Amino acid sequence: MSEPVRREPLVVASFSGYYGDRITALDEAMAGDPIHVLIGDYLAEITLAGISARYRKDPTQGYADYFVRQVQPHLPAIAARGIKLVTNAGGLNPRGLADVLRGLIREAGLSLKVACVEGDNVLDRLGMLQAAGHPLSHLDTGEPLSAWGRTPISANAYLGAWGITAALREGADIVLCGRVTDSSLTLGPAAWWHGWQQADWDRLAGGVVAGHIIECGPHATGGNFSGFAVLPAITYPGFVMAELAADGSCVVTKHARDGGAVTTDTVTAQLVYEIQGPMYLNPDVTVDLGDVRCESVGPDRIRVSGARGAPPPETTKVAIFATEGWQIVSWAFVTGIDVDRKLALLRAQLHSLLAGSVDQLEVTAFGTPAAQPESQAEATVAVRIAACASERDQLTEEQFFLKLNSLYLWSVPGFHTDSGAERALKPQRRIEYWPALLHVSQLSHRVTLEDGRTLEMPPHPQAAPAVSQPVHPEPGRSATDSRRAMQRAPLGRIAYARSGDKGGNSNVGLWAAQPKAWPWLRETLTTDMLRRLLPQAQDLEIVRHEFPNIRAVHFIVRGHLGRGGSTNLQADQVGKALGEFLLARQLDIPVELLVDDYAGERAPAPGRPTAAPSSPTAAVRS
C-alpha cells in the first residue's frame, strides 16, 4: 500500500523530547491545532543503558513503558482523525511494545496498524564484528573496543529514516522504533508524505534540520532559552510543531493555545544544540548547516531554509555502554565568613576521612555568600560531595554516610547537613560510554509490518566516506575597537547560548541577540577567548566554527565531560549549563552594543495561557 504524494506541507508535532519528559504532552498535542504526524523522542544515549538492566532481567520489558499510558486514551482519536504516530519508545524491544499496543487496539475495537523498526541492537554481534575486522574504535581516542576491558551491557547503532518511510508507505498508523536518529522521526514521515527519493539531497537535508529543531519539544518554544525573560506565557511553554514543504524548507511553529513563543532565537538555540559543526552527519544524508537561515513569517512562525545535502557517510555511530563501578552523592552546607578557608579545611578532612574507601572524590562548592546577608541562607554555600569506587561495598552507609555525618563536632564552624532530606545510603551503578563507528553494510535495518511481513532496508547505495568538518580561521581584531567606548559587563548582555553534550565532549553555540553585535561577537569569541572564559578548558582541545547566517559562533570542547556524562562526577554531568556560565562571564563590551534586557527578537504576547491543563484529560479534544 503506497500513499499518494502530497504537495501541501506536512504538519508534524512533537510530544516527547526524552524519557521522562512532560507526561501530559501527548494530551496537549491532541488538544491543539490540526496535525498529520505525532513524533515522540525517548532515547537519549544513556537511556538505552538504563533500560537494558530491566530488559536483561525481563525480556518483555526494555521499552518506554509510560508511553503506553500516554497513548492509550488517545487511540480512538488517532484512528478517527487519521493521525500517524512515530516514536523511538521501542527502545531495546520495539516488538514487545508493538504487542502491548496491538492488544490495547484490539480491546478498543480499532483497526490501527502497528509496525516496528529494528536492527539497531548489535550487542550480541560485537564479538563477531570485531573478529570480522571491525574494531569499533572509540570516536575520540581511536582505541579499539578490545582495549576497553569491560563487558558491554548495550550496543545500539543509529539507523536512518527509510524504515519509517517504508512502514508508512505500507499503511502503518503507528511506527515503533529502537535507536533511529532523533531527526529520523521527522524525516521518515516527510519522505513518505512528499514522495522524496534517496538522492533528493537538499530536500532530505531540510527534513533532517526540521527534525533536529523539533526533536526536543519545548526547547524551540522557550524552554532552556537564554532570552526567556522577554517571552510571553513562559511558565508552561508548549511543544513545537513543524510544517514541512515539498522543497525541504519548513515553518517552525506551535499550537496556538499553548504558552511560550517561537522566534528566530528560540529556533537558533536548537539549531546549535548538540552538533559537531557545520557538517551534520546522518545515516540518510550529510547535511551542510552553513547556509541555513531563519526568518520570521508571522507570529510564532519561523521559516527555516537553506540546508544543503550530500550522500551520507558509509559508517554510523554505535553507542556502547558498560558498567564501571559505583558512585554516591551527598550534600552539606557551610555558613558564615572565611568560607574559602572553611572549604579548604573541609576538603582536606573529607579526603583524609574517605581515603582508602573511595577511588575518586570530588568536593564542589556552589554559590558565594552575600556581602551583607539578610538571612542565614544568604550566608550559606552548598557543598556537593561525590565519590566513586570500583566496588559497592566501598560506598556503604558505614563507609560513606556515617563518616560524612561524623564531621559535625570536629569540622569547620557553620558546617551542617540537611537532616530533613533523604540520606545518601544507596550507591548507584556507573555506566561508561563508548562511542564507536560501524560500516553500514554490517547493519540489518528491517521493518516488521502488522501482517507479519518483514522488509529489509539495504544500505544507501551512494554512501561514501564521511566528510570532514570545514576549517574556519580565527578572526582578526578590528582596528576600530581601540576607539570604542567599552564597559565591563556579562557576555549575556549581548548574546544568547545553548550547550549540550556529545559523549565526553561539550558543545556550545553563542549567537548575537542583535545583528549589530555580530561583527564584534565573531571577532571576540576566538578559541583563546573561550579558554579565558572557561578556565576548565585550558588543557583541552577546542574546535571553533562560525555560522554567519544565524550570527553564531560554535565550539566543541573535547574531553570536558571526561568519558561521558554517565561517569562524570560533576553536578552538570552533560554540560547543559555550560552556555549560561559563559554568558555570566564578564569582559569589555562596546557600550553601544549593550542592552538593558535580553533584546533579541521579542515575541508578541497575545494573552496565551501560562498554566498547565487542570488534568491530563481536561485538555483532550477528540
Side-chain angles (χ1 to χ4, degrees), residues 393-425:
D393 289 346
Q394 295 173 256
L395 299 175
T396 60
E397 179 179 3
E398 181 177 345
Q399 292 294 331
F400 182 79
F401 177 77
L402 291 181
K403 290 181 178 181
L404 175 63
N405 202 50
S406 74
L407 285 167
Y408 259 97
L409 301 184
W410 58 279
S411 188
V412 299
F415 169 86
H416 59 285
T417 60
D418 185 352
S419 58
E422 184 177 0
R423 295 179 175 184
L425 302 179

mmCIF file of all heavy atoms in Angstrom, residues 393-425:
data_model
loop_
_atom_site.group_PDB
_atom_site.id
_atom_site.type_symbol
_atom_site.label_atom_id
_atom_site.label_comp_id
_atom_site.label_asym_id
_atom_site.label_seq_id
_atom_site.Cartn_x
_atom_site.Cartn_y
_atom_site.Cartn_z
ATOM 1 N N ASP A 393 30.712 -2.185 48.047
ATOM 2 C CA ASP A 393 30.977 -2.214 49.480
ATOM 3 C C ASP A 393 31.823 -1.035 49.945
ATOM 4 O O ASP A 393 31.830 -0.707 51.137
ATOM 5 C CB ASP A 393 31.681 -3.519 49.854
ATOM 6 C CG ASP A 393 30.754 -4.731 49.762
ATOM 7 O OD1 ASP A 393 29.533 -4.505 49.668
ATOM 8 O OD2 ASP A 393 31.250 -5.869 49.764
ATOM 9 N N GLN A 394 32.537 -0.379 49.019
ATOM 10 C CA GLN A 394 33.348 0.775 49.396
ATOM 11 C C GLN A 394 32.510 2.011 49.686
ATOM 12 O O GLN A 394 33.011 2.978 50.258
ATOM 13 C CB GLN A 394 34.356 1.096 48.271
ATOM 14 C CG GLN A 394 35.391 0.017 48.023
ATOM 15 C CD GLN A 394 36.235 0.333 46.800
ATOM 16 O OE1 GLN A 394 36.065 -0.240 45.735
ATOM 17 N NE2 GLN A 394 37.162 1.272 46.961
ATOM 18 N N LEU A 395 31.236 1.987 49.280
ATOM 19 C CA LEU A 395 30.373 3.163 49.433
ATOM 20 C C LEU A 395 29.143 2.857 50.286
ATOM 21 O O LEU A 395 28.123 3.536 50.177
ATOM 22 C CB LEU A 395 29.928 3.668 48.050
ATOM 23 C CG LEU A 395 31.050 4.105 47.109
ATOM 24 C CD1 LEU A 395 30.473 4.469 45.742
ATOM 25 C CD2 LEU A 395 31.830 5.285 47.667
ATOM 26 N N THR A 396 29.230 1.874 51.147
ATOM 27 C CA THR A 396 28.105 1.535 52.011
ATOM 28 C C THR A 396 27.862 2.652 53.027
ATOM 29 O O THR A 396 28.641 3.602 53.160
ATOM 30 C CB THR A 396 28.381 0.226 52.759
ATOM 31 O OG1 THR A 396 29.568 0.406 53.545
ATOM 32 C CG2 THR A 396 28.561 -0.922 51.784
ATOM 33 N N GLU A 397 26.764 2.521 53.773
ATOM 34 C CA GLU A 397 26.440 3.518 54.797
ATOM 35 C C GLU A 397 27.602 3.705 55.763
ATOM 36 O O GLU A 397 27.976 4.834 56.097
ATOM 37 C CB GLU A 397 25.194 3.086 55.557
ATOM 38 C CG GLU A 397 24.784 4.047 56.660
ATOM 39 C CD GLU A 397 23.529 3.606 57.386
ATOM 40 O OE1 GLU A 397 23.005 2.513 57.075
ATOM 41 O OE2 GLU A 397 23.070 4.345 58.274
ATOM 42 N N GLU A 398 28.216 2.625 56.178
ATOM 43 C CA GLU A 398 29.319 2.718 57.138
ATOM 44 C C GLU A 398 30.548 3.375 56.522
ATOM 45 O O GLU A 398 31.241 4.162 57.165
ATOM 46 C CB GLU A 398 29.669 1.321 57.652
ATOM 47 C CG GLU A 398 30.799 1.314 58.676
ATOM 48 C CD GLU A 398 31.069 -0.079 59.212
ATOM 49 O OE1 GLU A 398 30.233 -0.972 59.018
ATOM 50 O OE2 GLU A 398 32.136 -0.272 59.828
ATOM 51 N N GLN A 399 30.797 3.071 55.263
ATOM 52 C CA GLN A 399 31.999 3.578 54.611
ATOM 53 C C GLN A 399 31.865 5.017 54.125
ATOM 54 O O GLN A 399 32.870 5.709 53.970
ATOM 55 C CB GLN A 399 32.368 2.673 53.427
ATOM 56 C CG GLN A 399 32.831 1.297 53.806
ATOM 57 C CD GLN A 399 34.152 1.316 54.562
ATOM 58 O OE1 GLN A 399 34.974 2.200 54.386
ATOM 59 N NE2 GLN A 399 34.347 0.339 55.432
ATOM 60 N N PHE A 400 30.625 5.471 53.884
ATOM 61 C CA PHE A 400 30.473 6.822 53.331
ATOM 62 C C PHE A 400 29.632 7.721 54.231
ATOM 63 O O PHE A 400 30.128 8.680 54.817
ATOM 64 C CB PHE A 400 29.864 6.758 51.929
ATOM 65 C CG PHE A 400 29.719 8.118 51.281
ATOM 66 C CD1 PHE A 400 30.813 8.739 50.703
ATOM 67 C CD2 PHE A 400 28.495 8.771 51.265
ATOM 68 C CE1 PHE A 400 30.692 9.994 50.117
ATOM 69 C CE2 PHE A 400 28.362 10.030 50.689
ATOM 70 C CZ PHE A 400 29.460 10.635 50.117
ATOM 71 N N PHE A 401 28.347 7.423 54.375
ATOM 72 C CA PHE A 401 27.464 8.360 55.065
ATOM 73 C C PHE A 401 27.848 8.569 56.529
ATOM 74 O O PHE A 401 27.881 9.699 57.021
ATOM 75 C CB PHE A 401 26.011 7.899 54.975
ATOM 76 C CG PHE A 401 25.082 8.813 55.731
ATOM 77 C CD1 PHE A 401 24.702 10.037 55.197
ATOM 78 C CD2 PHE A 401 24.632 8.462 56.997
ATOM 79 C CE1 PHE A 401 23.885 10.900 55.909
ATOM 80 C CE2 PHE A 401 23.797 9.326 57.709
ATOM 81 C CZ PHE A 401 23.426 10.540 57.157
ATOM 82 N N LEU A 402 28.125 7.495 57.255
ATOM 83 C CA LEU A 402 28.445 7.655 58.674
ATOM 84 C C LEU A 402 29.737 8.446 58.881
ATOM 85 O O LEU A 402 29.874 9.207 59.844
ATOM 86 C CB LEU A 402 28.533 6.288 59.346
ATOM 87 C CG LEU A 402 27.196 5.542 59.476
ATOM 88 C CD1 LEU A 402 27.388 4.205 60.178
ATOM 89 C CD2 LEU A 402 26.162 6.395 60.202
ATOM 90 N N LYS A 403 30.679 8.286 57.967
ATOM 91 C CA LYS A 403 31.905 9.081 58.057
ATOM 92 C C LYS A 403 31.612 10.556 57.797
ATOM 93 O O LYS A 403 32.115 11.440 58.498
ATOM 94 C CB LYS A 403 32.945 8.551 57.075
ATOM 95 C CG LYS A 403 33.519 7.199 57.458
ATOM 96 C CD LYS A 403 34.575 6.742 56.461
ATOM 97 C CE LYS A 403 35.177 5.404 56.876
ATOM 98 N NZ LYS A 403 36.221 4.951 55.928
ATOM 99 N N LEU A 404 30.798 10.816 56.776
ATOM 100 C CA LEU A 404 30.417 12.202 56.487
ATOM 101 C C LEU A 404 29.650 12.805 57.662
ATOM 102 O O LEU A 404 29.893 13.949 58.076
ATOM 103 C CB LEU A 404 29.569 12.241 55.217
ATOM 104 C CG LEU A 404 28.968 13.591 54.812
ATOM 105 C CD1 LEU A 404 30.067 14.596 54.502
ATOM 106 C CD2 LEU A 404 28.052 13.427 53.612
ATOM 107 N N ASN A 405 28.760 12.037 58.240
ATOM 108 C CA ASN A 405 27.935 12.524 59.340
ATOM 109 C C ASN A 405 28.741 12.753 60.625
ATOM 110 O O ASN A 405 28.307 13.487 61.520
ATOM 111 C CB ASN A 405 26.815 11.519 59.611
ATOM 112 C CG ASN A 405 25.641 12.148 60.330
ATOM 113 O OD1 ASN A 405 25.146 13.189 59.901
ATOM 114 N ND2 ASN A 405 25.179 11.523 61.404
ATOM 115 N N SER A 406 29.914 12.143 60.708
ATOM 116 C CA SER A 406 30.731 12.288 61.913
ATOM 117 C C SER A 406 31.443 13.630 62.001
ATOM 118 O O SER A 406 32.081 13.931 63.007
ATOM 119 C CB SER A 406 31.780 11.164 61.964
ATOM 120 O OG SER A 406 32.811 11.401 61.011
ATOM 121 N N LEU A 407 31.318 14.460 60.956
ATOM 122 C CA LEU A 407 32.053 15.733 60.919
ATOM 123 C C LEU A 407 31.452 16.815 61.808
ATOM 124 O O LEU A 407 32.093 17.850 62.039
ATOM 125 C CB LEU A 407 32.096 16.254 59.474
ATOM 126 C CG LEU A 407 33.050 15.539 58.515
ATOM 127 C CD1 LEU A 407 32.748 15.946 57.087
ATOM 128 C CD2 LEU A 407 34.502 15.843 58.869
ATOM 129 N N TYR A 408 30.261 16.619 62.295
ATOM 130 C CA TYR A 408 29.531 17.701 62.970
ATOM 131 C C TYR A 408 30.327 18.375 64.082
ATOM 132 O O TYR A 408 30.304 19.597 64.229
ATOM 133 C CB TYR A 408 28.208 17.164 63.535
ATOM 134 C CG TYR A 408 27.010 17.502 62.671
ATOM 135 C CD1 TYR A 408 26.514 16.576 61.762
ATOM 136 C CD2 TYR A 408 26.400 18.742 62.737
ATOM 137 C CE1 TYR A 408 25.429 16.879 60.950
ATOM 138 C CE2 TYR A 408 25.311 19.052 61.931
ATOM 139 C CZ TYR A 408 24.828 18.119 61.045
ATOM 140 O OH TYR A 408 23.752 18.426 60.249
ATOM 141 N N LEU A 409 31.037 17.616 64.918
ATOM 142 C CA LEU A 409 31.662 18.199 66.098
ATOM 143 C C LEU A 409 33.123 18.589 65.897
ATOM 144 O O LEU A 409 33.698 19.249 66.765
ATOM 145 C CB LEU A 409 31.556 17.220 67.282
ATOM 146 C CG LEU A 409 30.129 16.825 67.683
ATOM 147 C CD1 LEU A 409 30.163 15.940 68.916
ATOM 148 C CD2 LEU A 409 29.266 18.056 67.922
ATOM 149 N N TRP A 410 33.722 18.195 64.760
ATOM 150 C CA TRP A 410 35.145 18.483 64.611
ATOM 151 C C TRP A 410 35.509 19.110 63.266
ATOM 152 O O TRP A 410 36.692 19.287 62.979
ATOM 153 C CB TRP A 410 35.979 17.217 64.848
ATOM 154 C CG TRP A 410 35.657 16.041 63.948
ATOM 155 C CD1 TRP A 410 34.641 15.160 64.089
ATOM 156 C CD2 TRP A 410 36.392 15.621 62.797
ATOM 157 N NE1 TRP A 410 34.666 14.214 63.093
ATOM 158 C CE2 TRP A 410 35.743 14.457 62.294
ATOM 159 C CE3 TRP A 410 37.533 16.082 62.133
ATOM 160 C CZ2 TRP A 410 36.184 13.772 61.184
ATOM 161 C CZ3 TRP A 410 37.993 15.394 61.016
ATOM 162 C CH2 TRP A 410 37.312 14.251 60.540
ATOM 163 N N SER A 411 34.481 19.504 62.496
ATOM 164 C CA SER A 411 34.782 20.181 61.231
ATOM 165 C C SER A 411 34.700 21.696 61.432
ATOM 166 O O SER A 411 34.814 22.193 62.560
ATOM 167 C CB SER A 411 33.834 19.719 60.134
ATOM 168 O OG SER A 411 34.238 20.221 58.884
ATOM 169 N N VAL A 412 34.458 22.418 60.378
ATOM 170 C CA VAL A 412 34.516 23.879 60.406
ATOM 171 C C VAL A 412 33.252 24.448 61.044
ATOM 172 O O VAL A 412 32.193 23.811 61.037
ATOM 173 C CB VAL A 412 34.673 24.443 58.985
ATOM 174 C CG1 VAL A 412 35.950 23.949 58.349
ATOM 175 C CG2 VAL A 412 33.476 24.072 58.114
ATOM 176 N N PRO A 413 33.335 25.654 61.636
ATOM 177 C CA PRO A 413 32.122 26.279 62.170
ATOM 178 C C PRO A 413 31.143 26.600 61.033
ATOM 179 O O PRO A 413 31.540 27.041 59.960
ATOM 180 C CB PRO A 413 32.644 27.558 62.830
ATOM 181 C CG PRO A 413 33.933 27.841 62.127
ATOM 182 C CD PRO A 413 34.521 26.505 61.807
ATOM 183 N N GLY A 414 29.876 26.376 61.299
ATOM 184 C CA GLY A 414 28.860 26.621 60.277
ATOM 185 C C GLY A 414 28.600 25.441 59.386
ATOM 186 O O GLY A 414 27.752 25.503 58.486
ATOM 187 N N PHE A 415 29.319 24.286 59.633
ATOM 188 C CA PHE A 415 29.065 23.086 58.846
ATOM 189 C C PHE A 415 27.764 22.436 59.307
ATOM 190 O O PHE A 415 27.503 22.298 60.500
ATOM 191 C CB PHE A 415 30.218 22.092 59.020
ATOM 192 C CG PHE A 415 29.933 20.720 58.468
ATOM 193 C CD1 PHE A 415 30.179 20.443 57.134
ATOM 194 C CD2 PHE A 415 29.405 19.708 59.271
ATOM 195 C CE1 PHE A 415 29.907 19.177 56.616
ATOM 196 C CE2 PHE A 415 29.129 18.450 58.757
ATOM 197 C CZ PHE A 415 29.389 18.190 57.429
ATOM 198 N N HIS A 416 26.906 22.028 58.331
ATOM 199 C CA HIS A 416 25.722 21.263 58.664
ATOM 200 C C HIS A 416 25.232 20.526 57.431
ATOM 201 O O HIS A 416 25.627 20.829 56.299
ATOM 202 C CB HIS A 416 24.599 22.143 59.222
ATOM 203 C CG HIS A 416 24.141 23.239 58.289
ATOM 204 N ND1 HIS A 416 24.873 24.373 58.054
ATOM 205 C CD2 HIS A 416 23.021 23.359 57.546
ATOM 206 C CE1 HIS A 416 24.221 25.163 57.206
ATOM 207 N NE2 HIS A 416 23.102 24.555 56.879
ATOM 208 N N THR A 417 24.385 19.532 57.656
ATOM 209 C CA THR A 417 23.725 18.817 56.562
ATOM 210 C C THR A 417 22.220 19.031 56.708
ATOM 211 O O THR A 417 21.758 19.567 57.710
ATOM 212 C CB THR A 417 24.048 17.315 56.591
ATOM 213 O OG1 THR A 417 23.606 16.757 57.836
ATOM 214 C CG2 THR A 417 25.544 17.069 56.429
ATOM 215 N N ASP A 418 21.478 18.617 55.708
ATOM 216 C CA ASP A 418 20.020 18.756 55.729
ATOM 217 C C ASP A 418 19.432 17.468 56.285
ATOM 218 O O ASP A 418 19.270 16.480 55.564
ATOM 219 C CB ASP A 418 19.504 19.032 54.322
ATOM 220 C CG ASP A 418 18.004 19.305 54.283
ATOM 221 O OD1 ASP A 418 17.340 19.124 55.326
ATOM 222 O OD2 ASP A 418 17.504 19.687 53.211
ATOM 223 N N SER A 419 19.122 17.483 57.572
ATOM 224 C CA SER A 419 18.619 16.263 58.208
ATOM 225 C C SER A 419 17.218 15.901 57.730
ATOM 226 O O SER A 419 16.744 14.790 57.963
ATOM 227 C CB SER A 419 18.616 16.428 59.729
ATOM 228 O OG SER A 419 17.819 17.541 60.117
ATOM 229 N N GLY A 420 16.544 16.839 57.055
ATOM 230 C CA GLY A 420 15.210 16.540 56.529
ATOM 231 C C GLY A 420 15.225 15.882 55.175
ATOM 232 O O GLY A 420 14.194 15.411 54.695
ATOM 233 N N ALA A 421 16.380 15.843 54.541
ATOM 234 C CA ALA A 421 16.485 15.237 53.212
ATOM 235 C C ALA A 421 16.792 13.753 53.332
ATOM 236 O O ALA A 421 17.292 13.275 54.362
ATOM 237 C CB ALA A 421 17.576 15.936 52.410
ATOM 238 N N GLU A 422 16.517 13.028 52.279
ATOM 239 C CA GLU A 422 16.814 11.594 52.271
ATOM 240 C C GLU A 422 18.319 11.384 52.330
ATOM 241 O O GLU A 422 19.084 12.033 51.621
ATOM 242 C CB GLU A 422 16.252 10.950 51.001
ATOM 243 C CG GLU A 422 16.443 9.444 50.958
ATOM 244 C CD GLU A 422 15.819 8.817 49.728
ATOM 245 O OE1 GLU A 422 15.251 9.559 48.913
ATOM 246 O OE2 GLU A 422 15.913 7.579 49.588
ATOM 247 N N ARG A 423 18.755 10.465 53.178
ATOM 248 C CA ARG A 423 20.186 10.206 53.321
ATOM 249 C C ARG A 423 20.726 9.478 52.103
ATOM 250 O O ARG A 423 20.048 8.647 51.494
ATOM 251 C CB ARG A 423 20.433 9.358 54.576
ATOM 252 C CG ARG A 423 20.077 10.059 55.886
ATOM 253 C CD ARG A 423 20.340 9.140 57.060
ATOM 254 N NE ARG A 423 20.131 9.820 58.329
ATOM 255 C CZ ARG A 423 20.372 9.270 59.516
ATOM 256 N NH1 ARG A 423 20.796 8.011 59.571
ATOM 257 N NH2 ARG A 423 20.171 9.956 60.630
ATOM 258 N N ALA A 424 21.977 9.798 51.754
ATOM 259 C CA ALA A 424 22.639 9.126 50.638
ATOM 260 C C ALA A 424 23.211 7.810 51.148
ATOM 261 O O ALA A 424 24.352 7.741 51.619
ATOM 262 C CB ALA A 424 23.738 10.010 50.067
ATOM 263 N N LEU A 425 22.402 6.762 51.091
ATOM 264 C CA LEU A 425 22.798 5.468 51.633
ATOM 265 C C LEU A 425 23.009 4.411 50.553
ATOM 266 O O LEU A 425 23.678 3.408 50.801
ATOM 267 C CB LEU A 425 21.730 4.965 52.614
ATOM 268 C CG LEU A 425 21.406 5.877 53.806
ATOM 269 C CD1 LEU A 425 20.310 5.243 54.655
ATOM 270 C CD2 LEU A 425 22.650 6.137 54.643
#
